[in-house]
Structure formats: C-alpha cells, structure tokens
Amino acid sequence: MPDPAVARMAGLADRAAAERAPAWLDLVRRYGEWELAEAAEAAVRVLRSADPGAETRVHRALLTPPPARPDAGGVVRLLLCCAAASDVRDLSGLPGEPALGDVAVIEPLVQLQCYAGDLLGGRDPVAVLGGVPE
Amino acid sequence: MIGRWRDVRAQGRAVALGLLGVRPRGGLAAAFGGDPRELFEFLLGLRLALPLTGRDAAALADLLGVLNVRLAARLSVVRAPDGTLTARDEHPVGLRWTGAARGVSPAEYALLAGRPPRERSRLGAEPLIVLPTAGRAADVRAALAAHCEVMLRHGHGGLRIVVADDAPTPDAARELDAVCARARRESGFRVTRFGEWNADGRFGAKQVFRRRMAVHGAPRACAERTFAPGLPGTANAVFAAFAGRDIVWLEQDATPWAPTTPARPGGGPRPFVDVMDGASAPVRPQPVDVLHVIDRLAHAAPLEARPHETHTVTYEDTDFTHLGPASSASHPLPGMVHFHTCGHPDFRARASHHLALDPGTPEPARRSLLSGGLPMRRLLADPPPTVSLRRWTSAFGTVLGLPARRTPGPPTMWATSARLVDIAVGDLMAALGVPGCVAGTGLWHDRGEVTDSGRGELSSYLFREELLWPLLHASREALGEVGAAPGDPAYPGYPAWLRAAGDAVAGRAGRGGIVPPALGHALWAELRADVRRARRSPHAEIRAYGDALAERAGETLRRTWREHHARMEAAAVAELVHYADQLRFWSALAERGPDRADGGAAGDDDRTEDVRTVPG
C-alpha cells in the first residue's frame, strides 16, 4: 500500500527541484560535501538494478572505487522519501511476509533511511524543504 | 591414462543423466526406435557425432539444453548443407579423442539405470575422509550414519574416516570412541579419531600433534592460536597432519542428499527455490555420490566444469549462481571442490539482522533468526552451474574436496575470531593460481541453533562479520603483491612464498587505511539507527537484541563516527598482524620439511603413513 507521507514528500521534492528552491539547492550542496554520499550511491545502485539480489552489497561496494556517480538530485530525492516513510516495506513494494531474498531490497532502503538522518541532521524531511510536518 | 579419463567422463555423465531421469530403457531412448545404445554412447561422450532424423532432433532439443548446463558439455544438433542432421559433441577434450568408440560399459549402464556399479574406479589416490566436529556424540553418530550409508550405496566401502574432534574431556572422548567403534562395525569403514583427548585421560592425537607443532619457530601465542580447538585450529591441524593426502572434508551439519523439488514458482528454470518455514513444498531427496563428484571435478574438471574467472559476490555472499561471463581460457585443475548449499544456505548475519528487525517477520521466524538459525529451506529445482572459478568467495564449510597435489603445500585457515577464517583458504589458493570448482548439485545443510561454526546468538555473529569485507579486501591486496606463483620461474618455493605473503600482509597492516572512512561512517550510522529501531520494537526479544547490539558495539557507538571508525581500524590492523604472523609460522613449518609426529593421528597402523608435518 503506498504511503501517503512518501507521496507527499516526493511531490514536495519535485517541486523544490523544479523551482530550484534555496532549501533544495542547499540540500544538494550539502550532499556534495557529505561523507556518506558514496554509501548512499551504492545503495541507490542496488535499488535501481533489475536484480538487486545480484548486486554488490553496500558494505562491500565501499571497498572499491565506484563507477559513474548517479545524479545527486535523484539520490537526495530518494533519501528524503526514505526518511519520510514510516515503514520501509511500504517503499519496497514487496508483498507478504519477508523472505530472505527480499533482504536485497530491504537492506539498502533501511540504509538510506538511516543515512538520511545523518544528511538532514535529525531535522524532519518535510520541514527541511519548507513544508509543514504532519 | 586416456582410458581412465574417458571412464570418468562417461561415469560422470551417467550420474548426471541418471539424476535427470534419463534411463537406457524407456524415456528418451524410446524415441530412438532402432538402437538406443547409440544415443547413450553419444550422451555419455563416447561418440563425437550421431546421425539423427528430424524426429530425433526434436526429441533431443530440450534435453541437450539441460545437459549442456549440467555437464558443461558442448552438445548441439548441427544441420549440414545437404540437410543431414547430426548431434555433435564439440567439447574441446572430446574432439581431442581419436581412438575407437567403445560400447557402454556395464558400470555405466548400472549408473544410468540408477544402480550403483559393483566397483568404482577412482582417478585420484584414495582420499582420506575427515569429519571435523566439536565432538558431541549424538551429532557425530548421525553424521557418520548419513555419510556411510550413501557412500556404501555408491560402492565406496572400506575407506578411512578420521573424526577430527574437539571433545573437551576424556568422558566425551569415551562416548565418541564408542560411536566410532560402532560405525566401524556396522559400515566397514576404517573410522579413527584425531581428537583432543583419549578415553583413558591421556592427550589425544590432535592435542599431541598441536603441542608438538606449537614449539617450533613462532611466538607461542601465534602457534597456539593457529592450532587451537575450534574449527580453524582443527582445520590447520588436519592440513598439517595429513599433508600430502587427498582430503574429503565432511562437516557434520551437511548430509549427502540433494533436496530436489519439482516446484518452480514463477516458472522457468531456476536452480533454487527458497521455502520459508511454515510453507510447504514437495521435496525429493536424492543421494549424492559426493566422492565421485569430487573425484570427477578434481581430476577431470575440463570435462565437466565451465571456466569462469570470478563470481559476483552478492547479498548472499557465498552463492555461486551469479557468475561473470564464461572464460575462454582453460583452467588448471582445482585445489578445492565445493558444493552448492541447500537446506540452510550460508547467508551472512546481515540478512538475519534485517529480517529479525522487520516488523512483518512472523514470530517463530524471528526467534529462529535471533538464535542464529534460518527460518527457511533451500531446495534444488534445476541443476545449478558446474563451474571452475579462478577467484571465488566462499565459506570453507559444508562438504569439500581438497586434492593435495594441486596446492604447492598445505593451506592454512586464518585462525582468529573474525568470520574470515575460512574464506582465506580459498584466497590463499587463488593467490597461488589454483582455481576451485563448484559441483552442479547441492547438499543438505542444517544450521542448528548450536553449530560448530561459531554462529549462535545473532548479535555476536553480526559483530564478527563487520570486519570481514575490509579485511578480505586488504589481505587480497597484500597477497596480490607477492607475485611469482608456482609455474613461474621466479617462484621461490612454498615456504618462501608464505614468508613473502606474511611480510606483505604485515606491510599492508602497517600502511593502515584498511576500513574506508565511508564504510566506518556507514556502519556507525546504521548501527545507531538499528539499535534505536530495535529498542522501539513492541517485541521484548527485539528490544533485548537492540541492547545486546549496543553493548557489543561498545562505548564508541555513543561517540562520534570517527572514534567508532578508529576502533574498527585498530581491530582490523590487529587481525591482519595476527594473520601475517600465522603465515610466517606456517612458512617455518613448511620449511622444516617432512617429519614424523609420533603422537600419531590414528592410534592404529595407518599412523606412520599419514601423520607428518608440513612437507616443503
């Protein structure tokens, strides 16, 4: 079931990016200087893969230089959505009880959720972009 | 020699065909109205080409697809310009064979019909079967019963089985002696013990051996750690004490049965079906002729295994289904033969950690995960790939074959508490240019709540795993610097190579920078979030798990990530220094050359033949 908080966050992020809102630009700038950017990008690569189970896991990917970096705005948007989600399973789209194979999706989502806490410095993801927290 | 190779090739294929349900009478043979023997000679690899009608070609098409995976053969149906159809075996080794075709032997027919032949020919020397164990009598009894039954069924009676045990007291040793005596009586295998204690209270053969080894050429702590009771120490004692013998290593939590299933959820070929506990799936256990598979892959790998340079390390970390492109170069024969793991595969602790914290995980599964178990079974739906790998990342465990002459000397298992120990054996071999093979079948593996591999409680299992990847990376980097592997004119011999490897690992430790800051920061951030998440759980056992995680992580988790990272880095450096010391110690043992250890592994007449120190 889609999480309304995530949909709202995604809409807010898209608008802020389109308008090049100062809060958004500030977030993207901080992302560029952020020490966890590499880890977040590794997680995003896993999630964007057609077969996440066959991807190199984040902790291992951090040992070797990454290939081309993904678009910073896209990663920031995903970080914000993960931070807004009350349950990562809503984001994962995986049905039913978790199976071992699902971990390949659950792990990078949980990782992004906790990295987002670091990037946002503990602030509410909606408030960061000037929205009103629910 | 070529005759023996062909026998094994044929026998290997006969086993595979039998498992695929192809029998000489009935089934596909019926499509060949004339003489089905001709078809089977082709399928067994005894003929390079077989003339076909259009109807035969249609009947063969699907089968060839499956067999090519299973056998790593190059079987295909070819249409000549004049329209004539021929089934061809384009395997490079097959084409090299120019002798006369021979008939299907009675042994091959027996295997095809699902019956064991009366005698088994072996390519290699008679292997020594080793059962490493913590030494609980009931577990050893069950493991011996399962393995002996299947080995006898396949015509491998009379071999020597060494129970390499860590039974901690003479009383426990007495119980094990009784188990071994019974197995000897009932199965006819020569079962002996290589343990810490004898039943009469004297030191057992393994303890005598490790004490003897420990006094030579190394700091005492390093020598003791290398041979200490526990899986790595026992492995090292076995490698050193039985150097020069081909070893088949049977861990007691693995059995020689492949749990096959006709279930294919989602359709299409797939090697594995994972069934969570509580869900049902039909299981048809197939006995696996472990010794034959190892013999075939260890000595005839080019006939059976498709070469790949490396396998992709995935979430699971130890599976062999995600492979890079097949290699066009042929590989040397392997130094290790693995099996795919069914039942409870070797998922890393992180998988259990995430599932345990997932609110959707049902309670019985959560309990199982928190105690180090796995709430699922993996079944074999289609044959997994049979491959030769130059570079692989696998736990040492379950069942494997170690053909001694393939390695320039006995390997050593990294003997510390980090869960790196076993993977390092394969790394050492890869650095020496020795590939490994993985068989196209899986064995049932039970991950009980109490295992010999040091899992147990999830929080400690997770913490032992944290350092795994950076350490593995650093040790590989160091071993990669050693250069001059066997076959290279500059190869300095095994002892000197090991010493250089020890120096390289020590040098790597000295340079530092083993745990990348991004990794240290990520692990710190994740752990803090996970502890918070666990402590918010409505389930008391998850809250307790969160507390256990926080306690194991220590003080630095509450401080900055840089402090936590510094602590991880210090632990990683210490681990590498231990490993460097151990490699140098192993070098000193190898340098001493063949030498008898009178303490004796066997306590019987095999002793003088088998027990020696590391030959140079």
Side-chain angles (χ1 to χ4, degrees):
Chain A
M1 197 171 65
D3 185 340
V6 174
R8 182 163 167 252
M9 185 73 246
L12 201 59
D14 289 341
R15 201 165 53 243
E19 291 168 358
R20 303 184 57 78
W24 172 262
L25 294 177
D26 184 50
L27 208 51
V28 172
R29 182 191 53 76
R30 283 180 53 198
Y31 174 82
E33 298 160 0
W34 184 42
E35 278 153 317
L36 281 176
E38 207 186 314
E41 285 164 13
V44 168
R45 266 196 300 279
V46 173
L47 288 170
R48 285 182 180 166
S49 160
D51 182 5
E55 289 296 313
T56 303
R57 291 172 48 213
V58 173
H59 296 169
R60 200 172 150 69
L62 290 175
L63 302 171
T64 41
R69 297 188 65 171
D71 160 53
V75 180
V76 170
R77 183 185 188 276
L78 189 53
L79 281 162
L80 289 169
C81 289
C82 286
S86 50
D87 179 352
V88 289
R89 292 193 67 79
D90 290 336
L91 283 167
S92 70
L94 298 165
E97 286 172 6
L100 266 166
D102 297 347
V103 173
V105 175
I106 294 172
E107 183 184 55
L109 283 173
V110 170
Q111 286 169 323
L112 286 176
Q113 200 172 35
C114 92
Y115 300 158
D118 189 90
L119 179 71
L120 301 176
R123 287 174 299 164
D124 183 283
V126 173
V128 167
L129 289 186
V132 182
E134 281 183 328
Chain B
M1 184 63 195
I2 191 83
R4 290 178 74 206
W5 277 75
R6 292 188 72 223
D7 283 345
V8 158
R9 180 182 187 194
Q11 281 202 21
R13 289 189 179 193
V15 169
L17 291 170
L19 287 173
L20 289 164
V22 180
R23 300 280 187 270
R25 297 180 214 299
L28 188 86
F32 287 75
D35 183 7
R37 293 173 65 100
E38 212 182 347
L39 167 66
F40 283 99
E41 286 182 5
F42 168 69
L43 291 176
L44 289 171
L46 305 176
R47 290 200 177 173
L48 300 181
L50 177 72
L52 291 173
T53 64
R55 189 181 66 115
D56 294 338
L60 267 176
D62 291 345
L63 183 69
L64 291 186
V66 181
L67 292 177
N68 278 334
V69 174
R70 182 82 194 199
L71 302 175
R74 315 273 202 282
L75 302 174
S76 59
V77 175
V78 181
R79 185 185 292 273
D82 66 357
T84 319
L85 286 169
T86 320
R88 293 201 69 85
D89 180 354
E90 286 163 343
H91 194 286
V93 178
L95 281 178
R96 229 183 289 147
W97 172 252
T98 52
R102 66 167 170 81
V104 179
S105 75
E108 288 146 12
Y109 260 120
L111 286 165
L112 273 171
R115 290 192 310 273
R118 216 168 295 149
E119 286 176 3
R120 299 305 296 272
S121 53
R122 246 182 271 282
L123 279 177
E126 185 171 286
L128 184 72
I129 297 163
V130 176
L131 183 75
T133 167
R136 286 179 294 275
D139 295 343
V140 175
R141 188 181 304 121
L144 283 175
H147 285 292
C148 290
E149 183 204 331
V150 175
M151 285 193 288
L152 279 179
R153 178 194 292 228
H154 290 113
H156 297 293
L159 293 174
R160 181 164 170 225
I161 302 177
V162 173
V163 175
D165 67 86
D166 292 330
T169 60
D171 280 348
R174 201 167 305 128
E175 274 189 73
L176 274 189
D177 274 351
V179 167
C180 294
R182 186 171 157 192
R184 263 197 305 271
R185 228 173 24 246
E186 292 176 358
S187 70
F189 287 93
R190 292 176 286 145
V191 187
T192 55
R193 279 184 56 230
F194 181 53
E196 288 292 304
W197 293 100
N198 287 341
D200 60 10
R202 287 183 301 147
F203 288 162
K206 178 151 72 73
Q207 185 162 187
V208 170
F209 181 76
R210 72 181 166 86
R211 284 169 182 266
R212 201 169 281 251
M213 291 300 101
V215 297
H216 294 287
R220 190 163 185 86
C222 170
E224 281 176 1
R225 191 164 41 228
T226 303
F227 289 119
L231 181 72
T234 296
N236 284 328
V238 167
F239 295 154
F242 302 103
R245 292 288 304 263
D246 288 0
I247 288 173
V248 170
W249 176 273
L250 304 178
E251 286 193 359
Q252 67 179 26
D253 51 6
T255 51
W257 296 88
T260 65
T261 181
R264 277 171 185 73
R270 56 194 297 185
F272 302 120
V273 171
D274 290 341
V275 182
M276 299 306 281
D277 284 357
S280 68
V283 183
R284 295 174 192 159
Q286 293 274 1
V288 176
D289 188 349
V290 168
L291 293 186
H292 174 73
V293 170
I294 289 174
D295 199 44
R296 193 169 102 220
L297 283 182
H299 300 278
L303 295 168
E304 302 291 353
R306 188 158 288 185
H308 287 256
E309 291 309 302
T310 183
H311 84 286
T312 308
V313 179
T314 65
Y315 190 81
E316 190 177 334
D317 296 335
T318 55
D319 78 351
F320 295 105
T321 47
H322 295 290
L323 297 159
S327 165
S328 54
S330 67
H331 285 181
L333 290 171
M336 257 169 123
V337 176
H338 283 272
F339 289 80
H340 293 267
T341 310
C342 293
H344 293 150
D346 275 329
F347 275 91
R348 294 276 145 200
R350 285 246 149 218
S352 305
H353 169 81
H354 284 294
L355 286 188
L357 289 181
D358 191 313
T361 302
E363 189 184 350
R366 199 166 59 230
R367 289 233 177 95
S368 164
L369 291 162
L370 288 173
S371 58
L374 208 55
M376 64 164 287
R377 289 154 294 151
R378 167 163 287 180
L379 308 174
L380 210 51
D382 274 302
T386 303
V387 290
S388 166
L389 285 164
R390 286 260 200 205
R391 168 66 78 192
W392 71 105
T393 302
S394 172
F396 186 75
T398 65
V399 166
L400 57 122
L402 298 157
R405 284 158 205 80
R406 279 315 131 54
T407 48
T412 177
M413 193 181 272
W414 189 325
T416 68
S417 63
R419 286 293 299 161
L420 179 71
V421 293
D422 39 10
I423 291 179
V425 180
D427 261 5
L428 201 62
M429 288 199 192
L432 286 159
V434 182
C437 270
V438 189
T441 185
L443 301 178
W444 183 269
H445 173 247
D446 259 314
R447 179 155 130 183
E449 295 197 357
V450 181
T451 73
D452 292 346
S453 53
R455 283 197 186 88
E457 195 205 347
L458 182 59
S459 59
S460 67
Y461 172 27
L462 185 77
F463 270 89
R464 274 199 299 271
E465 197 180 280
E466 297 284 78
L467 284 177
L468 182 94
W469 299 118
L471 276 177
L472 196 58
H473 193 72
S475 75
R476 275 184 185 174
E477 207 181 300
L479 293 178
E481 292 166 9
V482 183
D488 187 320
Y491 177 62
Y494 192 52
W497 189 93
L498 282 172
R499 199 163 43 248
D503 293 345
V505 171
R508 182 66 195 84
R511 289 200 298 280
I514 293 156
V515 182
L519 177 62
H521 191 175
L523 286 171
W524 174 84
E526 286 172 29
L527 194 52
R528 282 162 67 101
D530 289 344
V531 167
R532 275 199 303 274
R533 200 149 61 104
R535 283 176 169 163
R536 280 200 306 265
S537 166
H539 308 293
E541 71 269 24
I542 295 289
R543 293 196 296 275
Y545 175 61
D547 291 339
L549 282 180
E551 186 172 330
R552 290 202 181 269
E555 196 62 16
T556 52
L557 190 65
R558 289 194 293 277
R559 301 207 198 119
T560 66
W561 74 265
R562 289 189 190 282
E563 284 170 279
H564 192 69
H565 173 240
R567 184 172 153 232
M568 285 188 75
E569 176 70 18
V573 167
E575 279 284 335
L576 278 182
V577 168
H578 284 325
Y579 187 44
D581 287 347
Q582 188 183 328
L583 287 168
R584 291 164 174 152
F585 170 49
W586 209 252
S587 159
L589 287 184
E591 189 101 69
R592 290 174 54 218
D595 170 291
R596 311 272 179 209
D598 294 329
D604 66 15
D605 54 358
D606 290 321
R607 166 173 86 185
T608 46
E609 171 203 345
D610 290 326
V611 181
R612 65 190 70 153
T613 54
V614 185

PDB file of all heavy atoms in Angstrom, chain B residues 119-131:
ATOM      1  N   GLU B 119      31.916 -51.986  -8.590  1.00  0.00           N
ATOM      2  CA  GLU B 119      33.201 -51.391  -8.207  1.00  0.00           C
ATOM      3  C   GLU B 119      33.297 -49.996  -8.771  1.00  0.00           C
ATOM      4  O   GLU B 119      32.770 -49.718  -9.829  1.00  0.00           O
ATOM      5  CB  GLU B 119      34.357 -52.208  -8.791  1.00  0.00           C
ATOM      6  CG  GLU B 119      34.578 -53.512  -8.075  1.00  0.00           C
ATOM      7  CD  GLU B 119      35.658 -54.329  -8.747  1.00  0.00           C
ATOM      8  OE1 GLU B 119      36.252 -53.823  -9.731  1.00  0.00           O
ATOM      9  OE2 GLU B 119      35.892 -55.451  -8.308  1.00  0.00           O
ATOM     10  N   ARG B 120      33.975 -49.135  -8.056  1.00  0.00           N
ATOM     11  CA  ARG B 120      34.172 -47.777  -8.558  1.00  0.00           C
ATOM     12  C   ARG B 120      35.634 -47.579  -8.878  1.00  0.00           C
ATOM     13  O   ARG B 120      36.507 -47.846  -8.047  1.00  0.00           O
ATOM     14  CB  ARG B 120      33.762 -46.745  -7.497  1.00  0.00           C
ATOM     15  CG  ARG B 120      32.319 -46.832  -7.097  1.00  0.00           C
ATOM     16  CD  ARG B 120      31.380 -46.733  -8.284  1.00  0.00           C
ATOM     17  NE  ARG B 120      31.447 -45.455  -8.974  1.00  0.00           N
ATOM     18  CZ  ARG B 120      30.715 -44.404  -8.632  1.00  0.00           C
ATOM     19  NH1 ARG B 120      29.880 -44.462  -7.633  1.00  0.00           N
ATOM     20  NH2 ARG B 120      30.800 -43.286  -9.308  1.00  0.00           N
ATOM     21  N   SER B 121      35.878 -47.086 -10.081  1.00  0.00           N
ATOM     22  CA  SER B 121      37.256 -46.729 -10.384  1.00  0.00           C
ATOM     23  C   SER B 121      37.441 -45.293  -9.922  1.00  0.00           C
ATOM     24  O   SER B 121      36.515 -44.497  -9.933  1.00  0.00           O
ATOM     25  CB  SER B 121      37.514 -46.844 -11.874  1.00  0.00           C
ATOM     26  OG  SER B 121      36.547 -46.111 -12.580  1.00  0.00           O
ATOM     27  N   ARG B 122      38.644 -44.989  -9.472  1.00  0.00           N
ATOM     28  CA  ARG B 122      38.933 -43.648  -8.983  1.00  0.00           C
ATOM     29  C   ARG B 122      40.053 -43.051  -9.808  1.00  0.00           C
ATOM     30  O   ARG B 122      40.974 -43.753 -10.200  1.00  0.00           O
ATOM     31  CB  ARG B 122      39.379 -43.727  -7.524  1.00  0.00           C
ATOM     32  CG  ARG B 122      38.435 -43.090  -6.554  1.00  0.00           C
ATOM     33  CD  ARG B 122      38.996 -43.177  -5.157  1.00  0.00           C
ATOM     34  NE  ARG B 122      38.603 -44.404  -4.503  1.00  0.00           N
ATOM     35  CZ  ARG B 122      37.397 -44.589  -3.970  1.00  0.00           C
ATOM     36  NH1 ARG B 122      36.495 -43.659  -4.020  1.00  0.00           N
ATOM     37  NH2 ARG B 122      37.098 -45.719  -3.387  1.00  0.00           N
ATOM     38  N   LEU B 123      39.970 -41.760 -10.048  1.00  0.00           N
ATOM     39  CA  LEU B 123      41.031 -41.094 -10.800  1.00  0.00           C
ATOM     40  C   LEU B 123      42.211 -40.747  -9.915  1.00  0.00           C
ATOM     41  O   LEU B 123      43.355 -40.886 -10.300  1.00  0.00           O
ATOM     42  CB  LEU B 123      40.496 -39.796 -11.394  1.00  0.00           C
ATOM     43  CG  LEU B 123      39.718 -39.947 -12.665  1.00  0.00           C
ATOM     44  CD1 LEU B 123      39.194 -38.615 -13.087  1.00  0.00           C
ATOM     45  CD2 LEU B 123      40.589 -40.531 -13.745  1.00  0.00           C
ATOM     46  N   GLY B 124      41.907 -40.268  -8.728  1.00  0.00           N
ATOM     47  CA  GLY B 124      42.963 -39.845  -7.812  1.00  0.00           C
ATOM     48  C   GLY B 124      43.295 -40.958  -6.837  1.00  0.00           C
ATOM     49  O   GLY B 124      42.725 -42.045  -6.897  1.00  0.00           O
ATOM     50  N   ALA B 125      44.214 -40.644  -5.932  1.00  0.00           N
ATOM     51  CA  ALA B 125      44.559 -41.605  -4.881  1.00  0.00           C
ATOM     52  C   ALA B 125      43.356 -41.750  -3.949  1.00  0.00           C
ATOM     53  O   ALA B 125      42.446 -40.926  -3.966  1.00  0.00           O
ATOM     54  CB  ALA B 125      45.758 -41.083  -4.113  1.00  0.00           C
ATOM     55  N   GLU B 126      43.388 -42.790  -3.155  1.00  0.00           N
ATOM     56  CA  GLU B 126      42.294 -42.999  -2.210  1.00  0.00           C
ATOM     57  C   GLU B 126      42.210 -41.812  -1.248  1.00  0.00           C
ATOM     58  O   GLU B 126      43.194 -41.482  -0.590  1.00  0.00           O
ATOM     59  CB  GLU B 126      42.557 -44.277  -1.426  1.00  0.00           C
ATOM     60  CG  GLU B 126      41.425 -44.643  -0.518  1.00  0.00           C
ATOM     61  CD  GLU B 126      41.640 -46.041   0.064  1.00  0.00           C
ATOM     62  OE1 GLU B 126      41.462 -47.017  -0.670  1.00  0.00           O
ATOM     63  OE2 GLU B 126      41.998 -46.111   1.245  1.00  0.00           O
ATOM     64  N   PRO B 127      41.060 -41.156  -1.190  1.00  0.00           N
ATOM     65  CA  PRO B 127      41.007 -39.968  -0.326  1.00  0.00           C
ATOM     66  C   PRO B 127      40.824 -40.336   1.140  1.00  0.00           C
ATOM     67  O   PRO B 127      40.288 -41.398   1.471  1.00  0.00           O
ATOM     68  CB  PRO B 127      39.774 -39.235  -0.843  1.00  0.00           C
ATOM     69  CG  PRO B 127      38.888 -40.317  -1.358  1.00  0.00           C
ATOM     70  CD  PRO B 127      39.786 -41.406  -1.867  1.00  0.00           C
ATOM     71  N   LEU B 128      41.281 -39.447   1.976  1.00  0.00           N
ATOM     72  CA  LEU B 128      41.055 -39.569   3.409  1.00  0.00           C
ATOM     73  C   LEU B 128      39.804 -38.755   3.726  1.00  0.00           C
ATOM     74  O   LEU B 128      39.697 -37.599   3.315  1.00  0.00           O
ATOM     75  CB  LEU B 128      42.254 -38.969   4.137  1.00  0.00           C
ATOM     76  CG  LEU B 128      42.265 -39.077   5.640  1.00  0.00           C
ATOM     77  CD1 LEU B 128      42.523 -40.525   6.034  1.00  0.00           C
ATOM     78  CD2 LEU B 128      43.367 -38.192   6.205  1.00  0.00           C
ATOM     79  N   ILE B 129      38.867 -39.364   4.412  1.00  0.00           N
ATOM     80  CA  ILE B 129      37.631 -38.634   4.720  1.00  0.00           C
ATOM     81  C   ILE B 129      37.749 -38.064   6.128  1.00  0.00           C
ATOM     82  O   ILE B 129      38.053 -38.796   7.074  1.00  0.00           O
ATOM     83  CB  ILE B 129      36.426 -39.571   4.598  1.00  0.00           C
ATOM     84  CG1 ILE B 129      36.342 -40.031   3.138  1.00  0.00           C
ATOM     85  CG2 ILE B 129      35.137 -38.874   5.011  1.00  0.00           C
ATOM     86  CD1 ILE B 129      35.501 -41.238   2.937  1.00  0.00           C
ATOM     87  N   VAL B 130      37.557 -36.766   6.250  1.00  0.00           N
ATOM     88  CA  VAL B 130      37.718 -36.116   7.552  1.00  0.00           C
ATOM     89  C   VAL B 130      36.383 -35.539   7.987  1.00  0.00           C
ATOM     90  O   VAL B 130      35.706 -34.859   7.210  1.00  0.00           O
ATOM     91  CB  VAL B 130      38.781 -34.990   7.480  1.00  0.00           C
ATOM     92  CG1 VAL B 130      38.876 -34.263   8.817  1.00  0.00           C
ATOM     93  CG2 VAL B 130      40.134 -35.554   7.096  1.00  0.00           C
ATOM     94  N   LEU B 131      36.003 -35.837   9.210  1.00  0.00           N
ATOM     95  CA  LEU B 131      34.774 -35.281   9.772  1.00  0.00           C
ATOM     96  C   LEU B 131      35.177 -34.363  10.933  1.00  0.00           C
ATOM     97  O   LEU B 131      35.407 -34.837  12.044  1.00  0.00           O
ATOM     98  CB  LEU B 131      33.877 -36.417  10.276  1.00  0.00           C
ATOM     99  CG  LEU B 131      32.523 -36.012  10.839  1.00  0.00           C
ATOM    100  CD1 LEU B 131      31.553 -35.630   9.743  1.00  0.00           C
ATOM    101  CD2 LEU B 131      31.926 -37.148  11.673  1.00  0.00           C
TER     102      LEU B 131
END
